[in-house]
Amino acid sequence: MHDWFGLGSRIIITTRDQHLLVRHGVDNVHMVDGLSHEEALQLFCRKAFRKGHPTDGYLELSLQMVSYAAGLPLALEVLGSFLFGRSEAEWKDALDRLKKFPDRRIFEILKISYDGLQELEKKIFLDVACFFKGRDKDEIREILYSCDFHPDIGISVLIDKCIITLSNNSLCMHDLIQYMGWEIVRPECPEKPGQRSRLWLSNDIHRILTKNEAVEGIILDFPAYKELKLNAKSFSRMNNLRLLKIKDVSLSQSLEYISDELRLLNWHGYPLRSLPSNFQHNKLFELNMCSSHIEQLWKEVKHSNQLKIVILSHSTRLTQTPDFTGAPNLERLILDGCTSLSFVHPSIGLLKRLILLNLKDCKQLRSLRAKIEWESLEVLILSGCSKLSNVREIMSNTKHLAMLKVLDLNGCSKLVKLPEDLEHLAILKNLDLGGAAIN
């Protein structure tokens, strides 16, 4: 308490938990920054060379080590002391090893913060470290929420403990904190990556996707194997798979099973005409299959209460949309570049929570025969729908378009004139009717 100390006393508290300071009414809180590049290089050199600058021939290696430590004094001191008196070859070998396996002394100290987390907070941290570093907080919050991870309090706790930070609403963390997260996952089964909860390295993912193993999350944005062909049976044992993001891979046969636990299904260039007929959508939050060979998503009504995002951009074989009656919470439907799309199910008009509808360049689409009840729609893009003939009917009841901010009708050649009550769209900010946009 403040009255424990005499007048004029100065009390400095250091802690790993910012919320501890808030709870005890600390007057001023200061977040300590990492060292600047110049400071970091000087500290490292004092430990590695016993002087303030690198020895001849070691400058480039020293700069790489300083970059690896990213301003963390602990890492600079540990690495500098370890490398003192060693040869250039040993330095290079140590640097290569650090990129795969963090120094155990640094790891054990950083892990103290992780060990103090609750189980759900640990799961959120590992997901961010392995999959979502640098991604938008709100986007990741929705994915984590669909996994029942309670991300609002979880992310707040991680920020309080300085394990993650926010920069322009993006989730960030120090590189060595991320390495620590990787090192927590890797020993789950060092020799069998398919038994680990999360995979992010292309070599590990290649191993498990060409065999029959089980994982919880696979995120691979840029495959190292440009012509990777998967055995469809690889997914048969992945009963716990909740996050799947891969790009431009083919399958050796039809896909008969995808985990019912999936929350995120992002498969760029999906090579099949449809999803497995027995695939359950009840936990799916985002379905993203750009440039796929999909012709039809599903035939009967699928109960997908958690589904909020569907993206099928440039799926040129898609001919129709499914019945969305079972997906009442859909917020974003993006079908731009689906040049064969000729039928949109009338249930699209009943999506009261739909915020964005993008049908750009759906050149075969002639009509949207739907009763419009869009209460949340902010962006409607119909540009390039040159055969769409009932635009005026879509816009005829503006009370269901009160939230509309962007309306793009560029290239809708069937549009003879604007609907008479378009002026009642009170918050419309951008109207594009072809060459000139009216703002």
Side-chain angles (χ1 to χ4, degrees):
M1 304 299 292
H2 286 64
D3 59 6
W4 291 358
F5 306 97
L7 189 65
S9 299
R10 293 183 179 180
I11 300 91
I12 298 175
I13 305 169
T14 62
T15 177
R16 298 172 185 271
D17 188 351
Q18 181 173 289
H19 193 253
L20 182 69
L21 305 178
V22 175
R23 289 194 346 243
H24 290 281
V26 171
D27 295 323
N28 297 292
V29 177
H30 173 68
M31 181 72 72
V32 179
D33 296 324
L35 298 180
S36 69
H37 176 75
E38 292 74 15
E39 293 170 333
L41 181 59
Q42 188 177 55
L43 175 58
F44 176 78
C45 289
R46 285 177 179 172
K47 296 295 180 179
F49 305 108
R50 303 296 191 263
K51 55 185 178 182
H53 56 84
T55 297
D56 290 345
Y58 284 85
L59 176 59
E60 184 59 34
L61 288 169
S62 296
L63 292 176
Q64 291 184 55
M65 286 293 179
V66 169
S67 176
Y68 173 84
L72 187 65
L74 164 69
L76 292 163
E77 293 188 0
V78 168
L79 296 176
S81 298
F82 173 70
L83 293 169
F84 174 72
R86 299 187 185 274
S87 67
E88 289 185 52
E90 290 173 313
W91 276 56
K92 292 176 181 178
D93 201 40
L95 188 60
D96 290 339
R97 186 175 69 179
L98 285 170
K99 292 176 181 179
K100 297 179 181 179
F101 310 105
D103 184 279
R104 294 304 301 181
R105 289 163 292 179
I106 300 172
F107 171 80
E108 293 298 339
I109 293 174
L110 295 178
K111 191 171 178 287
I112 293 172
S113 296
Y114 172 82
D115 291 337
L117 300 174
Q118 300 290 334
E119 286 305 311
L120 284 180
E121 293 159 5
K122 290 181 179 179
K123 290 182 177 181
I124 292 173
F125 164 70
L126 292 178
D127 272 4
V128 174
C130 295
F131 304 141
F132 302 133
K133 179 183 174 183
R135 297 275 296 276
D136 181 76
K137 173 193 172 185
D138 297 330
E139 176 188 346
I140 302 311
R141 175 195 168 276
E142 293 289 341
I143 295 174
L144 296 173
Y145 181 80
S146 72
C147 297
D148 299 322
F149 283 2
H150 304 285
D152 287 329
I153 184 62
I155 291 176
S156 177
V157 168
L158 293 176
I159 292 174
D160 283 342
K161 293 184 178 294
C162 304
I163 293 175
I164 64 175
T165 58
L166 277 181
S167 176
N168 297 323
N169 207 48
S170 296
L171 297 177
C172 304
M173 65 174 60
H174 192 285
D175 288 347
L176 291 180
I177 297 288
Q178 183 180 37
Y179 295 154
M180 183 262 290
W182 293 350
E183 188 61 14
I184 289 170
V185 173
R186 190 188 65 82
E188 291 174 351
C189 195
E191 301 303 322
K192 293 184 178 180
Q195 300 302 317
R196 301 175 201 163
S197 59
R198 297 161 179 85
L199 293 176
W200 63 95
L201 295 176
S202 57
N203 287 339
D204 290 339
I205 294 173
H206 177 259
R207 284 178 61 186
I208 73 102
L209 288 180
T210 52
K211 298 179 181 179
N212 292 325
E213 301 202 32
V215 293
E216 185 177 331
I218 297 174
I219 303 291
L220 185 61
D221 288 328
F222 302 101
Y225 302 91
K226 296 298 184 182
E227 297 182 359
L228 179 62
K229 179 174 286 188
L230 306 184
N231 183 344
K233 292 182 179 179
S234 301
F235 295 94
S236 62
R237 291 179 54 199
M238 297 183 188
N239 295 318
N240 296 320
L241 191 64
R242 57 185 176 85
L243 306 171
L244 175 62
K245 183 175 182 180
I246 54 179
K247 181 178 180 179
D248 297 333
V249 296
S250 58
L251 289 168
S252 60
Q253 59 194 97
S254 297
L255 187 63
E256 297 181 358
Y257 175 81
I258 301 182
S259 170
D260 295 341
E261 295 296 317
L262 270 178
R263 273 74 167 184
L264 170 66
L265 176 54
N266 186 325
W267 192 325
H268 186 282
Y270 179 75
L272 303 179
R273 294 183 297 177
S274 63
L275 292 169
S277 58
N278 57 357
F279 174 52
Q280 299 298 316
H281 304 71
N282 54 314
K283 295 183 179 180
L284 195 63
F285 163 77
E286 177 179 334
L287 176 65
N288 187 332
M289 308 185 86
C290 296
S291 302
S292 73
H293 291 186
I294 287 281
E295 296 178 1
Q296 186 174 5
L297 279 175
W298 55 83
K299 295 181 179 180
E300 66 282 353
V301 175
K302 293 283 188 179
H303 295 289
S304 310
N305 288 330
Q306 302 296 325
L307 188 61
K308 292 190 176 182
I309 301 172
V310 172
I311 304 175
L312 292 166
S313 301
H314 305 291
S315 295
T316 57
R317 302 185 185 187
L318 183 73
T319 59
Q320 57 184 302
T321 67
D323 188 336
F324 288 113
T325 304
N329 296 311
L330 193 64
E331 294 181 358
R332 285 188 278 171
L333 180 58
I334 301 176
L335 303 172
D336 62 301
C338 294
T339 52
S340 297
L341 182 67
S342 59
F343 175 76
V344 172
H345 195 278
S347 60
I348 194 174
L350 304 178
L351 298 173
K352 296 184 178 182
R353 298 191 178 184
L354 192 65
I355 296 173
L356 166 63
L357 175 59
N358 186 346
L359 294 169
K360 180 181 178 181
D361 293 331
C362 293
K363 301 180 183 299
Q364 298 302 317
L365 188 61
R366 297 178 179 275
S367 173
L368 285 178
R369 298 297 178 188
K371 180 182 179 182
I372 303 302
E373 295 184 6
W374 295 325
E375 297 179 357
S376 305
L377 194 68
E378 296 180 6
V379 179
L380 177 59
I381 300 175
L382 300 173
S383 59
C385 295
S386 54
K387 296 183 179 180
L388 190 62
S389 60
N390 66 332
V391 174
R392 294 192 66 199
E393 295 175 33
I394 299 169
M395 304 298 303
S396 62
N397 193 345
T398 55
K399 73 175 183 179
H400 290 301
L401 296 170
M403 302 302 295
L404 198 63
K405 297 177 181 178
V406 177
L407 176 60
D408 189 348
L409 301 174
N410 189 338
C412 291
S413 57
K414 296 287 186 180
L415 177 64
V416 177
K417 63 179 181 178
L418 290 175
E420 295 178 359
D421 58 352
L422 193 64
E423 63 190 53
H424 299 302
L425 300 178
I427 64 174
L428 187 67
K429 295 181 179 179
N430 188 289
L431 173 62
D432 192 342
L433 299 173
I438 305 173
N439 294 298

